[in-house]
Structure formats: structure tokens, C-alpha cells
Amino acid sequence: MRILHLTPELAPWSKSGGLGDAAAAIAKSVAALGHEVRVVTPLHGSVPGRLDLAVHRESLDVGLSPKSACRVRKAKAPGFEALFLEHEGLFGGAEIYGGDAVGKALFLTRAGLDLCLADGWIPDVVHVHDWTVALAPVLLNTVLRETPLARAASVLTLHNLQHQGLAGRDVLDRLGLPAWLMSADNLECLGGVNLLKGGLYHATRLTTVSPTYAREIAGAGYGFGLDPVIRHRAADLEGILNGVDADDWDPSRDTLIPARYTADTLAGKAACKTGLQRDLGLDPDPGIPLVGVVSRLWDQKGLDLAVEPLRQRLRAGKLQLALLGSGDPELESAYRALAESLPGRAGVRIGYDNRLAHRIEAGADFFLMPSRFEPCGLNQLYSMAYATLPIVRRTGGLADTVAPWSPGATESTGIVFEHADAAAIGWALDEALRLRHDFPAEFDAMRRRAMGRRFTWADAAPRYVACYAEAVRQRREAFPPEVSPQPSAGDVAQGAKPVRKRARKT
Ligand code: ADP
Ligand code: GLC
């Protein structure tokens, strides 16, 4: 199959969180199964060596109103083609989502599809990631229905339902979309347009990044207002777990950490702990439990709830903290203040630093993720691969990947707690300390077991391929090759399966 991905971030060129990792890994692992994969993404100002990348197409006309254009560059990617839209006015800044976020989203969506038409490269499946590109399925079902692209099936992956892309109704004019899309079972939301909602109604199939999150978002607590739409599309939604890209995250080969190790040579991990304590100015104490955090500092991650429980245990000299993150300025200040008040015990770095992220994963004993919700989460997978036991809230992908410890448990790989509050986090930290001090043999066995639990993209890739095949089947059934695409508005507005069989063209 030919697969087109549209994504706002693509690691290693651009990344604000796991979406960049996941999009690249899905492309790479599906290509490894013999499929032809292209990824179209913006040439963000932060892409290293951006203007040295080879030119794929000097100029691409983009069917937005007002008319627009960009240059397209390309880079060598593992098994797939990575194509970058160069538009300095929109994407030249360093921030992936800053500035005119909706303008960027519309441009990426339309340009990604126009590039297929310009190159004569017609995909079987258009796979889009999150809100910024969620209108691509809507375009396929409406303004592009007279083009060769119309027969492409579409798959929308939900990495995070919290961000939906709320915009004004002028979005319709900018994309040339028909006015009937401004209805409650299409794009309309609170009098404006909700980009993600459009994708949820119009994509041929939907995926999200863990089975538990797929169930959670069908309920009001995790649906962020879109749970009725999720329930409406439940038959077309599945959860496919993310994995670990072992080319980047493997302690036996990782050159960013002080020493390499395997489950049989955990001594290297002790050297990583010493190195991390040195990196962050922590007291050089091999015995004290060291808790690591690498995270966006936003409400999703629940780290606001962890400040007090951490402070109490740091003050009592029970543990050390190594935290790397950025986001909410108030939370950044709270953690900075924590580090300043507890020198030698709490090491905090505000910012983005891939090298330090690796060193925390390797050097810590435990890794804290108290998320309010977590579609999948990659860091708990990385931490298990690095024999660093995750302390997680039982939600989304955290629930699917970390097996809870209690004394004597034979399958456990981490500490799991229920409630999103400070008391539960305090309890979980105390459980981790109890495990470390009172059950050293179990602690040791858990580290090795966690390393042995392999969550790989090689497991996810065939599931994506099966999803694509089913999407193609559904699309072809609704839209047989011999039938000309001439929809009426009413047909497409039906929601779940927007494209319906048409009368044979004479
Ligand atoms: P999310 O996508 O919700 O942020 P994930 O756990 O799926 O959460 O992925 C986060 C990814 O971003 C991981 O690869 C993690 O190492 C990385 N990351 C997050 N914050 C930072 C940071 N401050 N510095 C370096 N890497 C970070
Ligand atoms: C999102 C989610 C995270 C997930 C990542 C990659 O950013 O918050 O849980 O792992 O996407 O799918």
C-alpha cells in the first residue's frame, strides 16, 4: 500500500512530545513491512540544518483562499520519504504550535494533499495525527471528491483528545468547504469550528494509542466534550499501543548515557546514577532512591499534584529528585523553588534536552508519571527498557503497560496508583521506598523483568497495516472504482461513513 502521513511533528527533525516520536516510528515500522510511505510535515524553524535539505519541489501551489504556495524539501529517513513544507511566514518560528496555529494547521493539511496531486503520488491511505491535520478526511470527502485522491481511505490517530483546534467559521472559506459542514454532526462546535470533530466524523477509521484510552474517551471524564462522537464511531475505533524505538532507546547501545548496561550487567546502571547525580549537583549517594521525571509540565501530566508529596519526602532525606521539563510557568517556578530550597536533593532543569532525558531514564531508580490522563505515554516504556521502575497512575496506556507491585507479586513492573491527588502520589512514593528498602530481591527482579517487557513498534506495525487494509476495504465498498465521485452534500453529512455508493455514471 501507499501511505501518506500528515503530522505537525516528526522526530528527530521536530518534536514537542511523543507525537513526533510516534509518527516517525509508525512510518518507519510500516515501511519496514514493505509499504511505500511518505510523511509530510512543516519545516519548522527549529529543524536542524533546515535550509541545507535537498529541494523536492521548488514551488507547490496550495489550494487555500487566499492562494498560497511553498517550497518542499526532503530528507533521508529510515525507509520512508520525509517531505518538509517550507513557508517562512508560517513555519519559520521555533515553536511548533505557536503563532497562527490554525493557519499553520490548514496550510499543512491542504498542502500535504496538494503535494500528492502535484507529484501524481496517490496514496491508498491518508493517515493523519491529531487536530492540526484532522480536516484532511473532510477535504477528501468534499472539495477533493472530483480528484484522484477521493478514493484514498483515511485514518485519524488520536494521540491526545484534549487539543481539538477550536477556530472561527472562516476556516470553511479558507478551505473552500461547503456551508453545510457547519452542523452539529460535522464541524460545528460552540458556534465555531472544531477541527478534530470534523476528522472524527469523516475519517474512514480511527485509532488511538492504547486500548484503555480507546475505552476511556468514550466516557465524559476523558472525552473533553467529544465523547458522544467517539461513541458514535466506536465500531471504527481501535487502540494500538505505542512502542519503543530501540535505535534511540536501548541502554546496551545508548551513547548519551555514562555507561551501557543490560539486564545481566546492571553495574552500568549504577554508573549512570552516579553520573546523573553529578549532572544535576545531587549528593553522591549510591543508596538513596532517585526519582526521575521527564515531562511536559501541563495539567495532563499531574505534576502539580506531586510537588508537596515530593517536598515532604525530599526534606526527610528519603529520596532524591531529577526532573527535566517545561510548560506551565507557575509549575516551572514551583519546581525551581523546590530545587533551590533543597540543594543536593532535588535537581531540576527547565527546558528541553534529549541528552539529559536519556541520562535521567538511565540514572534514576524510579520514574514518576502521575498523569490525569495518558493516551499511551512513552516515558514509562523507556524507563522500563532502562530498568527504571515506573510509578504511574492507572490510566490510559500507563494502565496497559505497567503491572502493579504488591509484596510477592510475580508479574509486577512498577508502582500503580488510582487517584489523581497528592495523597495517592504520596502513597505511591512510599510504596516505592518500601519496595526498595524492604524487598531488595523483588526490586532487583522487577528491574530485570521490566527490561524484558518489550513494547515494540514491530508489534504495532502489523496492526496499523491491518487497520489500513480495513479502511481501504470500507472506502472501496462505499466508493467502488467504477463509480464516479459525485456526492451530494447530504450523503457526506451522514457522519460515520460519509462516502456512500453513488449511481453508476453513464
Ligand atoms: P507526551 O507526548 O504527552 O508529552 P510521551 O510520554 O508520549 O508524552 O512522550 C514524551 C516524549 O517527549 C518522550 O520522548 C520524552 O523523552 C520527551 N520529552 C518530554 N519533555 C522533554 C524534555 N523537557 N526534554 C527532552 N525530552 C522530553
Ligand atoms: C500524546 C500523548 C501521549 C502519547 C503520545 C504519542 O502526546 O499525550 O500519551 O504517548 O501522544 O502517541
PDB file of all heavy atoms in Angstrom, residues 3-5 7 10-14 23-24 27 37-43 47 53-56 72-85 115:
ATOM      1  N   ILE A   3       1.081   4.829   1.673  1.00  0.00           N
ATOM      2  CA  ILE A   3       0.539   5.508   2.863  1.00  0.00           C
ATOM      3  C   ILE A   3       1.109   6.921   2.931  1.00  0.00           C
ATOM      4  O   ILE A   3       2.332   7.118   2.906  1.00  0.00           O
ATOM      5  CB  ILE A   3       0.963   4.796   4.176  1.00  0.00           C
ATOM      6  CG1 ILE A   3       0.842   3.271   4.063  1.00  0.00           C
ATOM      7  CG2 ILE A   3       0.193   5.354   5.368  1.00  0.00           C
ATOM      8  CD1 ILE A   3      -0.529   2.748   3.873  1.00  0.00           C
ATOM      9  N   LEU A   4       0.222   7.897   3.059  1.00  0.00           N
ATOM     10  CA  LEU A   4       0.658   9.279   3.295  1.00  0.00           C
ATOM     11  C   LEU A   4       0.382   9.626   4.753  1.00  0.00           C
ATOM     12  O   LEU A   4      -0.750   9.470   5.225  1.00  0.00           O
ATOM     13  CB  LEU A   4      -0.136  10.247   2.409  1.00  0.00           C
ATOM     14  CG  LEU A   4       0.050  11.728   2.764  1.00  0.00           C
ATOM     15  CD1 LEU A   4       1.426  12.222   2.332  1.00  0.00           C
ATOM     16  CD2 LEU A   4      -1.046  12.597   2.159  1.00  0.00           C
ATOM     17  N   HIS A   5       1.399  10.104   5.469  1.00  0.00           N
ATOM     18  CA  HIS A   5       1.174  10.640   6.813  1.00  0.00           C
ATOM     19  C   HIS A   5       1.211  12.161   6.760  1.00  0.00           C
ATOM     20  O   HIS A   5       2.102  12.730   6.117  1.00  0.00           O
ATOM     21  CB  HIS A   5       2.292  10.214   7.778  1.00  0.00           C
ATOM     22  CG  HIS A   5       2.224   8.786   8.192  1.00  0.00           C
ATOM     23  ND1 HIS A   5       1.534   8.368   9.304  1.00  0.00           N
ATOM     24  CD2 HIS A   5       2.764   7.674   7.642  1.00  0.00           C
ATOM     25  CE1 HIS A   5       1.652   7.044   9.424  1.00  0.00           C
ATOM     26  NE2 HIS A   5       2.391   6.611   8.421  1.00  0.00           N
ATOM     27  N   THR A   7       1.580  15.111   9.582  1.00  0.00           N
ATOM     28  CA  THR A   7       1.847  15.269  11.020  1.00  0.00           C
ATOM     29  C   THR A   7       2.521  16.615  11.305  1.00  0.00           C
ATOM     30  O   THR A   7       3.386  17.024  10.547  1.00  0.00           O
ATOM     31  CB  THR A   7       2.733  14.108  11.546  1.00  0.00           C
ATOM     32  OG1 THR A   7       3.047  14.361  12.921  1.00  0.00           O
ATOM     33  CG2 THR A   7       4.037  13.956  10.781  1.00  0.00           C
ATOM     34  N   LEU A  10       7.716  15.566  13.588  1.00  0.00           N
ATOM     35  CA  LEU A  10       8.337  14.342  13.097  1.00  0.00           C
ATOM     36  C   LEU A  10       9.756  14.263  13.655  1.00  0.00           C
ATOM     37  O   LEU A  10      10.637  15.019  13.252  1.00  0.00           O
ATOM     38  CB  LEU A  10       8.383  14.378  11.558  1.00  0.00           C
ATOM     39  CG  LEU A  10       8.966  13.128  10.882  1.00  0.00           C
ATOM     40  CD1 LEU A  10       8.048  11.929  11.077  1.00  0.00           C
ATOM     41  CD2 LEU A  10       9.169  13.380   9.376  1.00  0.00           C
ATOM     42  N   ALA A  11       9.956  13.342  14.604  1.00  0.00           N
ATOM     43  CA  ALA A  11      11.292  13.166  15.203  1.00  0.00           C
ATOM     44  C   ALA A  11      12.199  12.477  14.171  1.00  0.00           C
ATOM     45  O   ALA A  11      11.712  11.659  13.392  1.00  0.00           O
ATOM     46  CB  ALA A  11      11.180  12.309  16.458  1.00  0.00           C
ATOM     47  N   PRO A  12      13.473  12.774  14.101  1.00  0.00           N
ATOM     48  CA  PRO A  12      14.190  13.672  15.002  1.00  0.00           C
ATOM     49  C   PRO A  12      14.193  15.129  14.535  1.00  0.00           C
ATOM     50  O   PRO A  12      14.790  15.974  15.188  1.00  0.00           O
ATOM     51  CB  PRO A  12      15.616  13.105  14.938  1.00  0.00           C
ATOM     52  CG  PRO A  12      15.740  12.613  13.533  1.00  0.00           C
ATOM     53  CD  PRO A  12      14.377  12.102  13.148  1.00  0.00           C
ATOM     54  N   TRP A  13      13.498  15.458  13.450  1.00  0.00           N
ATOM     55  CA  TRP A  13      13.568  16.832  12.938  1.00  0.00           C
ATOM     56  C   TRP A  13      12.783  17.804  13.810  1.00  0.00           C
ATOM     57  O   TRP A  13      13.178  18.942  13.988  1.00  0.00           O
ATOM     58  CB  TRP A  13      13.065  16.875  11.487  1.00  0.00           C
ATOM     59  CG  TRP A  13      13.956  16.104  10.575  1.00  0.00           C
ATOM     60  CD1 TRP A  13      15.147  16.529  10.038  1.00  0.00           C
ATOM     61  CD2 TRP A  13      13.772  14.756  10.126  1.00  0.00           C
ATOM     62  NE1 TRP A  13      15.697  15.524   9.279  1.00  0.00           N
ATOM     63  CE2 TRP A  13      14.878  14.429   9.310  1.00  0.00           C
ATOM     64  CE3 TRP A  13      12.777  13.802  10.330  1.00  0.00           C
ATOM     65  CZ2 TRP A  13      15.018  13.188   8.701  1.00  0.00           C
ATOM     66  CZ3 TRP A  13      12.910  12.564   9.725  1.00  0.00           C
ATOM     67  CH2 TRP A  13      14.022  12.270   8.918  1.00  0.00           C
ATOM     68  N   SER A  14      11.628  17.356  14.292  1.00  0.00           N
ATOM     69  CA  SER A  14      10.861  18.235  15.176  1.00  0.00           C
ATOM     70  C   SER A  14      10.095  17.375  16.166  1.00  0.00           C
ATOM     71  O   SER A  14       9.631  16.287  15.815  1.00  0.00           O
ATOM     72  CB  SER A  14       9.897  19.104  14.369  1.00  0.00           C
ATOM     73  OG  SER A  14       8.992  18.298  13.652  1.00  0.00           O
ATOM     74  N   ALA A  23       4.788   9.311  15.273  1.00  0.00           N
ATOM     75  CA  ALA A  23       4.551   9.441  13.832  1.00  0.00           C
ATOM     76  C   ALA A  23       5.740   8.873  13.055  1.00  0.00           C
ATOM     77  O   ALA A  23       5.571   8.130  12.080  1.00  0.00           O
ATOM     78  CB  ALA A  23       4.293  10.900  13.464  1.00  0.00           C
ATOM     79  N   ALA A  24       6.958   9.220  13.497  1.00  0.00           N
ATOM     80  CA  ALA A  24       8.150   8.727  12.796  1.00  0.00           C
ATOM     81  C   ALA A  24       8.249   7.211  12.908  1.00  0.00           C
ATOM     82  O   ALA A  24       8.569   6.517  11.936  1.00  0.00           O
ATOM     83  CB  ALA A  24       9.402   9.383  13.387  1.00  0.00           C
ATOM     84  N   ALA A  27       5.683   5.373  10.716  1.00  0.00           N
ATOM     85  CA  ALA A  27       6.101   5.440   9.306  1.00  0.00           C
ATOM     86  C   ALA A  27       7.227   4.442   9.047  1.00  0.00           C
ATOM     87  O   ALA A  27       7.189   3.652   8.095  1.00  0.00           O
ATOM     88  CB  ALA A  27       6.538   6.860   8.968  1.00  0.00           C
ATOM     89  N   VAL A  37       5.843   4.616   2.006  1.00  0.00           N
ATOM     90  CA  VAL A  37       5.360   5.586   2.991  1.00  0.00           C
ATOM     91  C   VAL A  37       5.992   6.954   2.762  1.00  0.00           C
ATOM     92  O   VAL A  37       7.209   7.080   2.579  1.00  0.00           O
ATOM     93  CB  VAL A  37       5.691   5.109   4.437  1.00  0.00           C
ATOM     94  CG1 VAL A  37       5.155   6.097   5.465  1.00  0.00           C
ATOM     95  CG2 VAL A  37       5.123   3.710   4.693  1.00  0.00           C
ATOM     96  N   ARG A  38       5.133   7.970   2.760  1.00  0.00           N
ATOM     97  CA  ARG A  38       5.573   9.363   2.698  1.00  0.00           C
ATOM     98  C   ARG A  38       5.060  10.097   3.918  1.00  0.00           C
ATOM     99  O   ARG A  38       3.914   9.862   4.317  1.00  0.00           O
ATOM    100  CB  ARG A  38       4.920  10.045   1.504  1.00  0.00           C
ATOM    101  CG  ARG A  38       5.741  10.106   0.286  1.00  0.00           C
ATOM    102  CD  ARG A  38       5.045  11.016  -0.717  1.00  0.00           C
ATOM    103  NE  ARG A  38       5.930  11.211  -1.842  1.00  0.00           N
ATOM    104  CZ  ARG A  38       5.726  12.093  -2.800  1.00  0.00           C
ATOM    105  NH1 ARG A  38       4.669  12.877  -2.769  1.00  0.00           N
ATOM    106  NH2 ARG A  38       6.573  12.219  -3.784  1.00  0.00           N
ATOM    107  N   VAL A  39       5.882  10.982   4.453  1.00  0.00           N
ATOM    108  CA  VAL A  39       5.422  11.798   5.571  1.00  0.00           C
ATOM    109  C   VAL A  39       5.578  13.255   5.178  1.00  0.00           C
ATOM    110  O   VAL A  39       6.666  13.678   4.759  1.00  0.00           O
ATOM    111  CB  VAL A  39       6.240  11.527   6.855  1.00  0.00           C
ATOM    112  CG1 VAL A  39       5.684  12.342   8.020  1.00  0.00           C
ATOM    113  CG2 VAL A  39       6.229  10.040   7.194  1.00  0.00           C
ATOM    114  N   VAL A  40       4.520  14.026   5.301  1.00  0.00           N
ATOM    115  CA  VAL A  40       4.596  15.467   5.020  1.00  0.00           C
ATOM    116  C   VAL A  40       4.420  16.217   6.333  1.00  0.00           C
ATOM    117  O   VAL A  40       3.486  15.947   7.100  1.00  0.00           O
ATOM    118  CB  VAL A  40       3.525  15.885   3.994  1.00  0.00           C
ATOM    119  CG1 VAL A  40       3.583  17.391   3.752  1.00  0.00           C
ATOM    120  CG2 VAL A  40       3.726  15.123   2.681  1.00  0.00           C
ATOM    121  N   THR A  41       5.316  17.155   6.580  1.00  0.00           N
ATOM    122  CA  THR A  41       5.358  17.866   7.864  1.00  0.00           C
ATOM    123  C   THR A  41       5.938  19.257   7.608  1.00  0.00           C
ATOM    124  O   THR A  41       6.627  19.455   6.598  1.00  0.00           O
ATOM    125  CB  THR A  41       6.201  17.024   8.866  1.00  0.00           C
ATOM    126  OG1 THR A  41       6.037  17.536  10.186  1.00  0.00           O
ATOM    127  CG2 THR A  41       7.676  17.008   8.514  1.00  0.00           C
ATOM    128  N   PRO A  42       5.710  20.211   8.496  1.00  0.00           N
ATOM    129  CA  PRO A  42       6.271  21.552   8.265  1.00  0.00           C
ATOM    130  C   PRO A  42       7.789  21.601   8.475  1.00  0.00           C
ATOM    131  O   PRO A  42       8.346  20.835   9.271  1.00  0.00           O
ATOM    132  CB  PRO A  42       5.587  22.413   9.328  1.00  0.00           C
ATOM    133  CG  PRO A  42       4.388  21.641   9.767  1.00  0.00           C
ATOM    134  CD  PRO A  42       4.778  20.203   9.640  1.00  0.00           C
ATOM    135  N   LEU A  43       8.422  22.526   7.756  1.00  0.00           N
ATOM    136  CA  LEU A  43       9.842  22.779   8.009  1.00  0.00           C
ATOM    137  C   LEU A  43       9.901  23.851   9.102  1.00  0.00           C
ATOM    138  O   LEU A  43      10.046  25.038   8.846  1.00  0.00           O
ATOM    139  CB  LEU A  43      10.535  23.277   6.728  1.00  0.00           C
ATOM    140  CG  LEU A  43      12.061  23.407   6.814  1.00  0.00           C
ATOM    141  CD1 LEU A  43      12.713  22.038   6.953  1.00  0.00           C
ATOM    142  CD2 LEU A  43      12.625  24.120   5.597  1.00  0.00           C
ATOM    143  N   VAL A  47      14.099  23.015  12.915  1.00  0.00           N
ATOM    144  CA  VAL A  47      14.664  21.814  12.274  1.00  0.00           C
ATOM    145  C   VAL A  47      16.148  22.046  11.999  1.00  0.00           C
ATOM    146  O   VAL A  47      16.516  23.016  11.330  1.00  0.00           O
ATOM    147  CB  VAL A  47      13.917  21.504  10.948  1.00  0.00           C
ATOM    148  CG1 VAL A  47      14.625  20.407  10.161  1.00  0.00           C
ATOM    149  CG2 VAL A  47      12.468  21.126  11.231  1.00  0.00           C
ATOM    150  N   LEU A  53      18.595  21.146   3.498  1.00  0.00           N
ATOM    151  CA  LEU A  53      17.913  19.942   2.992  1.00  0.00           C
ATOM    152  C   LEU A  53      17.673  20.084   1.483  1.00  0.00           C
ATOM    153  O   LEU A  53      17.430  21.186   0.980  1.00  0.00           O
ATOM    154  CB  LEU A  53      16.561  19.756   3.699  1.00  0.00           C
ATOM    155  CG  LEU A  53      16.595  19.470   5.195  1.00  0.00           C
ATOM    156  CD1 LEU A  53      15.172  19.338   5.744  1.00  0.00           C
ATOM    157  CD2 LEU A  53      17.386  18.194   5.482  1.00  0.00           C
ATOM    158  N   ALA A  54      17.716  18.957   0.781  1.00  0.00           N
ATOM    159  CA  ALA A  54      17.538  18.980  -0.679  1.00  0.00           C
ATOM    160  C   ALA A  54      16.122  19.458  -1.027  1.00  0.00           C
ATOM    161  O   ALA A  54      15.180  19.249  -0.247  1.00  0.00           O
ATOM    162  CB  ALA A  54      17.755  17.568  -1.220  1.00  0.00           C
ATOM    163  N   VAL A  55      16.025  20.110  -2.194  1.00  0.00           N
ATOM    164  CA  VAL A  55      14.714  20.587  -2.626  1.00  0.00           C
ATOM    165  C   VAL A  55      13.997  19.460  -3.376  1.00  0.00           C
ATOM    166  O   VAL A  55      14.553  18.856  -4.289  1.00  0.00           O
ATOM    167  CB  VAL A  55      14.855  21.835  -3.526  1.00  0.00           C
ATOM    168  CG1 VAL A  55      13.493  22.226  -4.128  1.00  0.00           C
ATOM    169  CG2 VAL A  55      15.430  22.995  -2.711  1.00  0.00           C
ATOM    170  N   HIS A  56      12.784  19.194  -2.961  1.00  0.00           N
ATOM    171  CA  HIS A  56      11.960  18.173  -3.641  1.00  0.00           C
ATOM    172  C   HIS A  56      11.138  18.841  -4.757  1.00  0.00           C
ATOM    173  O   HIS A  56      10.957  18.295  -5.829  1.00  0.00           O
ATOM    174  CB  HIS A  56      11.036  17.517  -2.616  1.00  0.00           C
ATOM    175  CG  HIS A  56       9.984  16.634  -3.200  1.00  0.00           C
ATOM    176  ND1 HIS A  56      10.251  15.368  -3.665  1.00  0.00           N
ATOM    177  CD2 HIS A  56       8.638  16.839  -3.423  1.00  0.00           C
ATOM    178  CE1 HIS A  56       9.126  14.825  -4.134  1.00  0.00           C
ATOM    179  NE2 HIS A  56       8.147  15.699  -4.002  1.00  0.00           N
ATOM    180  N   VAL A  72       9.127  22.717  -1.207  1.00  0.00           N
ATOM    181  CA  VAL A  72       9.097  21.428  -0.491  1.00  0.00           C
ATOM    182  C   VAL A  72      10.514  20.875  -0.468  1.00  0.00           C
ATOM    183  O   VAL A  72      11.169  20.773  -1.513  1.00  0.00           O
ATOM    184  CB  VAL A  72       8.139  20.430  -1.174  1.00  0.00           C
ATOM    185  CG1 VAL A  72       8.067  19.132  -0.378  1.00  0.00           C
ATOM    186  CG2 VAL A  72       6.745  21.035  -1.331  1.00  0.00           C
ATOM    187  N   ARG A  73      10.978  20.552   0.711  1.00  0.00           N
ATOM    188  CA  ARG A  73      12.311  19.951   0.859  1.00  0.00           C
ATOM    189  C   ARG A  73      12.163  18.504   1.299  1.00  0.00           C
ATOM    190  O   ARG A  73      11.097  18.088   1.747  1.00  0.00           O
ATOM    191  CB  ARG A  73      13.145  20.736   1.866  1.00  0.00           C
ATOM    192  CG  ARG A  73      13.480  22.148   1.386  1.00  0.00           C
ATOM    193  CD  ARG A  73      14.452  22.836   2.329  1.00  0.00           C
ATOM    194  NE  ARG A  73      14.715  24.186   1.900  1.00  0.00           N
ATOM    195  CZ  ARG A  73      15.736  24.552   1.134  1.00  0.00           C
ATOM    196  NH1 ARG A  73      16.623  23.661   0.725  1.00  0.00           N
ATOM    197  NH2 ARG A  73      15.904  25.819   0.786  1.00  0.00           N
ATOM    198  N   LYS A  74      13.248  17.760   1.173  1.00  0.00           N
ATOM    199  CA  LYS A  74      13.160  16.345   1.580  1.00  0.00           C
ATOM    200  C   LYS A  74      14.405  15.965   2.375  1.00  0.00           C
ATOM    201  O   LYS A  74      15.472  16.573   2.216  1.00  0.00           O
ATOM    202  CB  LYS A  74      13.006  15.455   0.355  1.00  0.00           C
ATOM    203  CG  LYS A  74      14.151  15.530  -0.628  1.00  0.00           C
ATOM    204  CD  LYS A  74      13.873  14.651  -1.840  1.00  0.00           C
ATOM    205  CE  LYS A  74      14.900  14.919  -2.925  1.00  0.00           C
ATOM    206  NZ  LYS A  74      14.556  14.345  -4.210  1.00  0.00           N
ATOM    207  N   ALA A  75      14.241  14.947   3.192  1.00  0.00           N
ATOM    208  CA  ALA A  75      15.380  14.457   3.971  1.00  0.00           C
ATOM    209  C   ALA A  75      15.388  12.942   3.912  1.00  0.00           C
ATOM    210  O   ALA A  75      14.353  12.318   3.676  1.00  0.00           O
ATOM    211  CB  ALA A  75      15.257  14.911   5.423  1.00  0.00           C
ATOM    212  N   LYS A  76      16.564  12.384   4.125  1.00  0.00           N
ATOM    213  CA  LYS A  76      16.685  10.918   4.178  1.00  0.00           C
ATOM    214  C   LYS A  76      16.057  10.425   5.462  1.00  0.00           C
ATOM    215  O   LYS A  76      16.396  10.882   6.547  1.00  0.00           O
ATOM    216  CB  LYS A  76      18.179  10.562   4.213  1.00  0.00           C
ATOM    217  CG  LYS A  76      18.722  10.128   2.888  1.00  0.00           C
ATOM    218  CD  LYS A  76      20.076   9.507   3.117  1.00  0.00           C
ATOM    219  CE  LYS A  76      20.143   8.209   2.396  1.00  0.00           C
ATOM    220  NZ  LYS A  76      21.396   7.935   1.768  1.00  0.00           N
ATOM    221  N   ALA A  77      15.152   9.502   5.331  1.00  0.00           N
ATOM    222  CA  ALA A  77      14.509   8.953   6.526  1.00  0.00           C
ATOM    223  C   ALA A  77      14.579   7.433   6.411  1.00  0.00           C
ATOM    224  O   ALA A  77      14.706   6.910   5.312  1.00  0.00           O
ATOM    225  CB  ALA A  77      13.059   9.420   6.574  1.00  0.00           C
ATOM    226  N   PRO A  78      14.497   6.734   7.541  1.00  0.00           N
ATOM    227  CA  PRO A  78      14.657   5.275   7.514  1.00  0.00           C
ATOM    228  C   PRO A  78      13.497   4.569   6.808  1.00  0.00           C
ATOM    229  O   PRO A  78      12.476   4.279   7.434  1.00  0.00           O
ATOM    230  CB  PRO A  78      14.737   4.893   8.988  1.00  0.00           C
ATOM    231  CG  PRO A  78      14.156   6.042   9.733  1.00  0.00           C
ATOM    232  CD  PRO A  78      14.305   7.263   8.894  1.00  0.00           C
ATOM    233  N   GLY A  79      13.645   4.326   5.522  1.00  0.00           N
ATOM    234  CA  GLY A  79      12.652   3.530   4.784  1.00  0.00           C
ATOM    235  C   GLY A  79      11.515   4.321   4.186  1.00  0.00           C
ATOM    236  O   GLY A  79      10.729   3.786   3.422  1.00  0.00           O
ATOM    237  N   PHE A  80      11.352   5.576   4.588  1.00  0.00           N
ATOM    238  CA  PHE A  80      10.242   6.366   4.039  1.00  0.00           C
ATOM    239  C   PHE A  80      10.751   7.716   3.539  1.00  0.00           C
ATOM    240  O   PHE A  80      11.909   8.066   3.752  1.00  0.00           O
ATOM    241  CB  PHE A  80       9.128   6.545   5.081  1.00  0.00           C
ATOM    242  CG  PHE A  80       9.532   7.306   6.323  1.00  0.00           C
ATOM    243  CD1 PHE A  80       9.392   8.686   6.398  1.00  0.00           C
ATOM    244  CD2 PHE A  80      10.044   6.642   7.440  1.00  0.00           C
ATOM    245  CE1 PHE A  80       9.746   9.393   7.548  1.00  0.00           C
ATOM    246  CE2 PHE A  80      10.404   7.332   8.596  1.00  0.00           C
ATOM    247  CZ  PHE A  80      10.257   8.710   8.637  1.00  0.00           C
ATOM    248  N   GLU A  81       9.891   8.434   2.859  1.00  0.00           N
ATOM    249  CA  GLU A  81      10.256   9.761   2.348  1.00  0.00           C
ATOM    250  C   GLU A  81       9.741  10.817   3.313  1.00  0.00           C
ATOM    251  O   GLU A  81       8.535  10.846   3.600  1.00  0.00           O
ATOM    252  CB  GLU A  81       9.548   9.997   1.008  1.00  0.00           C
ATOM    253  CG  GLU A  81      10.421   9.902  -0.206  1.00  0.00           C
ATOM    254  CD  GLU A  81       9.667  10.360  -1.446  1.00  0.00           C
ATOM    255  OE1 GLU A  81       8.594   9.786  -1.737  1.00  0.00           O
ATOM    256  OE2 GLU A  81      10.164  11.287  -2.098  1.00  0.00           O
ATOM    257  N   ALA A  82      10.618  11.664   3.816  1.00  0.00           N
ATOM    258  CA  ALA A  82      10.191  12.754   4.693  1.00  0.00           C
ATOM    259  C   ALA A  82      10.213  14.045   3.887  1.00  0.00           C
ATOM    260  O   ALA A  82      11.253  14.432   3.362  1.00  0.00           O
ATOM    261  CB  ALA A  82      11.125  12.865   5.887  1.00  0.00           C
ATOM    262  N   LEU A  83       9.058  14.703   3.763  1.00  0.00           N
ATOM    263  CA  LEU A  83       8.931  15.908   2.948  1.00  0.00           C
ATOM    264  C   LEU A  83       8.516  17.077   3.844  1.00  0.00           C
ATOM    265  O   LEU A  83       7.607  16.932   4.688  1.00  0.00           O
ATOM    266  CB  LEU A  83       7.897  15.682   1.851  1.00  0.00           C
ATOM    267  CG  LEU A  83       8.290  14.567   0.863  1.00  0.00           C
ATOM    268  CD1 LEU A  83       7.111  14.124   0.039  1.00  0.00           C
ATOM    269  CD2 LEU A  83       9.435  15.045  -0.029  1.00  0.00           C
ATOM    270  N   PHE A  84       9.186  18.199   3.662  1.00  0.00           N
ATOM    271  CA  PHE A  84       9.013  19.333   4.567  1.00  0.00           C
ATOM    272  C   PHE A  84       8.486  20.545   3.810  1.00  0.00           C
ATOM    273  O   PHE A  84       9.054  20.923   2.786  1.00  0.00           O
ATOM    274  CB  PHE A  84      10.361  19.694   5.207  1.00  0.00           C
ATOM    275  CG  PHE A  84      10.928  18.586   6.041  1.00  0.00           C
ATOM    276  CD1 PHE A  84      11.663  17.571   5.450  1.00  0.00           C
ATOM    277  CD2 PHE A  84      10.704  18.547   7.406  1.00  0.00           C
ATOM    278  CE1 PHE A  84      12.179  16.531   6.208  1.00  0.00           C
ATOM    279  CE2 PHE A  84      11.210  17.509   8.184  1.00  0.00           C
ATOM    280  CZ  PHE A  84      11.953  16.492   7.580  1.00  0.00           C
ATOM    281  N   LEU A  85       7.438  21.148   4.337  1.00  0.00           N
ATOM    282  CA  LEU A  85       6.844  22.325   3.705  1.00  0.00           C
ATOM    283  C   LEU A  85       7.573  23.562   4.216  1.00  0.00           C
ATOM    284  O   LEU A  85       7.542  23.856   5.426  1.00  0.00           O
ATOM    285  CB  LEU A  85       5.364  22.408   4.062  1.00  0.00           C
ATOM    286  CG  LEU A  85       4.540  21.159   3.732  1.00  0.00           C
ATOM    287  CD1 LEU A  85       3.119  21.303   4.272  1.00  0.00           C
ATOM    288  CD2 LEU A  85       4.542  20.889   2.230  1.00  0.00           C
ATOM    289  N   LEU A 115       0.256  18.214  -2.537  1.00  0.00           N
ATOM    290  CA  LEU A 115       1.557  17.667  -2.964  1.00  0.00           C
ATOM    291  C   LEU A 115       1.359  16.293  -3.641  1.00  0.00           C
ATOM    292  O   LEU A 115       2.030  15.986  -4.630  1.00  0.00           O
ATOM    293  CB  LEU A 115       2.493  17.548  -1.753  1.00  0.00           C
ATOM    294  CG  LEU A 115       3.911  17.055  -2.042  1.00  0.00           C
ATOM    295  CD1 LEU A 115       4.619  17.955  -3.050  1.00  0.00           C
ATOM    296  CD2 LEU A 115       4.727  16.969  -0.744  1.00  0.00           C
TER     297      LEU A 115
END
